[in-house]
């Protein structure tokens, strides 16, 4: 049970919902971080009075320090400062809610300090899942997933002492805004279309990843790393309503699922209260009024990113870091109106073809693979 938390990425979608939960639960907030959202983090500091506030953007950090001169909160800037927020001694739990691979080093640092990791930042597990899980095992640090599918699975495996009893994980996928379209129809979709998610309100990067189905691909890899399972034991099913958050099939044929309304505050709260359950003030799921639950197979031809992620997962080594680095840069270009929707899988495939894969990589080799993949995309 968490008492004091540090939030990496407090100004984002997950970060703000974590602060809602912290307020409801009466948790103390020791440190918060943002990249450049100065006004939003200033408000958060005044409300939650953390000892430390970090801005990775140095200019924004200077601005924030001036604004907070009348408070007791220390302000520091730069990427290394994220590590300081992740290792702040008074926090027992670190919520990793930054977007992208930038979360890797602070997550590893927090693990070494044996903090509980409430993990939203999936890119970290995608790029360096084996390293992160090995480090957590070695330090005895708990990793509790916040991603709704992985939280659902985490909840469904409570009480399962022998992982060999699990036959298969089934990740549900909303299908995104372009569900049902052909490859050619999807190619005509714009940034505004991609940013309209049917069920969840999230940050822009993950919203685009949901439209390409790369998000589900990243989640397949995240699940493989969290539960140390091969690709064959992690499958994906389209479930438009986002009510069944994921399922676990056991070897005796039992299939366990976790259901709920699409609200990230439930998995965030569970990551804090685990192994207990806290009180949630929100309205629970009403089976009599919720829409009929439907399931379908994903279309890997219309959405090639899912296949690209599964191929990288099979290849292993630095393949997933290359996939992720290329995807982060391609999505950034798409959000800046520099490329079209189908250029995202095209650039990811190009980076995968050009950057050699290293097996059993050390951290430096993962970071190098990430850099090389970004260069392929940016040099295009
Ligand atoms: P947002 O874009 O809403 O927020 C991202 C946060 O990270 C902000 O605080 C932002 O600061 C900060 N940030 C952005 N870039 C950098 C950087 N280069 N260095 C340091 N900090 C940075 O993202 P989300 O909250 O949607 O997603 C966060 C993570 O959680 C992602 O990995 C996502 O995949 C995962 N996730 C999100 C879900 C959701 O419902 N949103 C669901 C499941 C997983 P600033 O405001 O200053 O830009
Ligand atoms: Mg998810």
């Amino acid at each position: 049970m968490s008492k004091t938390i540090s939030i990496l990425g407090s100004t984002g979608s997950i970060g703000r919902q974590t602060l809602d939960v912290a307020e409801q639960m009466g948790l103390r907030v020791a440190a918060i971080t943002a990249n450049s959202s100065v006004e939003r983090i200033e408000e958060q500091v005044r409300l939650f009075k953390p000892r430390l506030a970090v801005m990775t953007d140095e200019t924004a950090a200077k601005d924030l320090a001036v604004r907070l001169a009348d408070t007791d909160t220390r302000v520091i800037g730069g990427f290394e400062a994220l590590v300081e927020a992740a290792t702040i001694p008074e926090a027992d739990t670190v919520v990793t809610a930054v977007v992208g691979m930038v979360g890797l080093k602070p997550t590893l640092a927090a693990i070494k300090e044996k903090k509980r990791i409430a993990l939203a930042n999936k890119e970290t597990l995608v790029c360096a899942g084996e390293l992160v899980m090995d480090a957590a095992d070695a330090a005895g640090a708990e990793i509790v997933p916040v991603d709704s599918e992985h939280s659902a699975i985490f909840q469904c495996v409570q009480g399962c002492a022998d992982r060999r009893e699990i036959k298969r994980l089934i990740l549900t996928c909303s299908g995104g805004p372009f569900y049902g379209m052909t490859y050619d129809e999807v190619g005509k979709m714009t940034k505004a279309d991609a940013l309209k998610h049917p069920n969840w309100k999230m940050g822009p990067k993950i919203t685009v990843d949901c439209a390409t189905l790369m998000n589900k691909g990243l989640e397949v890899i995240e699940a493989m790393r969290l539960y140390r399972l091969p690709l064959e034991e992690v499958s994906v099913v389209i479930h438009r309503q986002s009510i069944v958050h994921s399922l676990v099939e056991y070897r005796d044929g039992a299939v366990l699922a976790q259901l709920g309304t699409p609200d990230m505050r439930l998995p965030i709260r569970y990551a804090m209260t685990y192994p207990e359950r806290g009180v949630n003030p929100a309205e629970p799921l009403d089976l009599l009024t919720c829409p009929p639950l439907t399931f379908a197979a994903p279309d890997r031809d219309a959405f090639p990113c899912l296949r690209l992620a599964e191929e990288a997962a099979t290849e292993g080594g630095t393949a997933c870091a290359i996939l992720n680095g290329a995807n982060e840069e391609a999505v950034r270009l798409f959000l800046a109106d520099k490329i079209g929707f189908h250029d995202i899988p095209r650039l990811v495939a190009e980076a995968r073809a050009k950057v050699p894969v290293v097996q059993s990589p050390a951290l430096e080799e993962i970071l190098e693979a990430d850099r090389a993949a970004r260069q392929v995309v940016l040099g295009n």
Side-chain angles (χ1 to χ4, degrees), residues 209-229:
D209 284 346
C210 286
T212 60
L213 293 206
M214 180 60 94
N215 182 54
K216 208 49 55 180
L218 299 179
E219 290 186 354
V220 166
I221 302 167
E222 184 185 4
M224 288 168 62
R225 301 298 177 253
L226 276 170
Y227 299 99
R228 298 190 189 269
L229 294 173

Side-chain angles (χ1 to χ4, degrees), residues 78-148:
F79 281 100
E80 283 305 312
L82 277 181
V83 171
E84 201 160 324
T87 53
I88 191 164
E90 55 266 47
D92 48 65
T93 300
V94 175
V95 183
T96 63
V98 289
V99 60
M101 155 87 164
V102 56
L104 176 56
K105 279 188 181 171
T107 304
L108 284 170
I111 286 172
K112 281 209 186 91
E113 297 299 317
K114 216 179 160 186
K115 312 273 190 202
R116 172 181 291 188
I117 309 295
L119 188 130
N121 176 232
K122 65 189 80 180
E123 293 90 349
T124 286
L125 270 198
V126 168
C127 295
E130 280 120 348
L131 273 185
V132 169
M133 297 308 290
D134 288 349
D137 284 352
E142 288 170 320
I143 298 194
V144 185
V146 166
D147 210 348
S148 57

Side-chain angles (χ1 to χ4, degrees), residues 39-348:
E39 279 172 20
R40 195 166 258 168
I41 203 167
E42 181 188 353
E43 264 173 44
Q44 294 180 340
V45 167
R46 294 194 182 280
L47 217 55
F48 290 91
K49 304 184 172 38
R51 186 163 70 74
L52 180 66
V54 167
M55 302 299 291
T56 42
D57 182 296
E58 302 271 9
T59 315
K62 287 193 186 111
D63 183 3
L64 186 67
V66 172
R67 286 164 181 256
L68 293 177
D70 63 318
T71 71
D72 294 330
T73 298
R74 183 172 159 240
V75 177
I76 48 175
F79 281 100
E80 283 305 312
L82 277 181
V83 171
E84 201 160 324
T87 53
I88 191 164
E90 55 266 47
D92 48 65
T93 300
V94 175
V95 183
T96 63
V98 289
V99 60
M101 155 87 164
V102 56
L104 176 56
K105 279 188 181 171
T107 304
L108 284 170
I111 286 172
K112 281 209 186 91
E113 297 299 317
K114 216 179 160 186
K115 312 273 190 202
R116 172 181 291 188
I117 309 295
L119 188 130
N121 176 232
K122 65 189 80 180
E123 293 90 349
T124 286
L125 270 198
V126 168
C127 295
E130 280 120 348
L131 273 185
V132 169
M133 297 308 290
D134 288 349
D137 284 352
E142 288 170 320
I143 298 194
V144 185
V146 166
D147 210 348
S148 57
E149 296 78 0
H150 306 75
S151 172
I153 290 165
F154 190 77
Q155 294 176 57
C156 293
V157 299
Q158 294 309 307
C160 164
D162 184 349
R163 285 289 150 84
R164 285 170 305 181
E165 292 176 351
I166 298 173
K167 195 168 163 206
R168 189 163 67 116
L169 308 181
I170 305 168
L171 297 179
T172 53
C173 170
S174 75
F178 308 147
Y179 175 70
M181 292 184 190
T182 63
Y183 180 81
D184 289 341
E185 287 165 348
V186 171
K188 295 186 191 112
M189 293 298 119
T190 64
K191 180 172 94 178
D193 300 322
L195 288 175
K196 279 183 222 139
H197 193 279
N199 304 337
W200 300 95
K201 177 95 192 68
M202 306 174 289
K205 192 262 177 182
I206 184 173
T207 306
V208 173
D209 284 346
C210 286
T212 60
L213 293 206
M214 180 60 94
N215 182 54
K216 208 49 55 180
L218 299 179
E219 290 186 354
V220 166
I221 302 167
E222 184 185 4
M224 288 168 62
R225 301 298 177 253
L226 276 170
Y227 299 99
R228 298 190 189 269
L229 294 173
L231 180 66
E232 303 71 57
E233 291 171 28
V234 181
S235 60
V236 174
V237 65
I238 301 288
H239 168 53
R240 295 292 284 155
Q241 300 79 28
S242 299
I243 286 177
V244 178
H245 294 306
S246 278
L247 313 92
V248 178
E249 182 184 322
Y250 283 92
R251 65 184 179 193
D252 64 355
V255 180
L256 268 52
Q258 185 252 325
L259 282 70
T261 53
D263 181 349
M264 287 307 296
R265 280 167 290 206
L266 192 153
I268 292 170
R269 179 179 288 96
Y270 188 67
M272 305 297 146
T273 61
Y274 164 79
E276 292 157 36
R277 285 188 183 273
V279 176
N280 185 347
E283 278 296 307
L285 173 69
D286 181 352
L287 287 173
L288 298 182
T289 55
C290 81
L293 306 182
T294 59
F295 302 94
D299 181 349
R300 290 175 175 78
D301 295 327
F303 300 95
C305 283
L306 178 56
R307 192 192 313 262
L308 285 167
E310 288 169 339
E311 283 166 6
T314 310
E315 192 166 350
T318 50
C320 296
I322 297 165
L323 171 100
N324 179 74
N327 182 60
E328 283 191 30
E329 287 307 326
V331 172
R332 218 188 300 272
L333 292 175
F334 177 74
L335 286 169
D337 293 312
K338 301 248 165 67
I339 61 171
F341 195 75
H342 279 334
D343 291 323
I344 299 174
R346 181 182 63 76
L347 289 169
V348 171

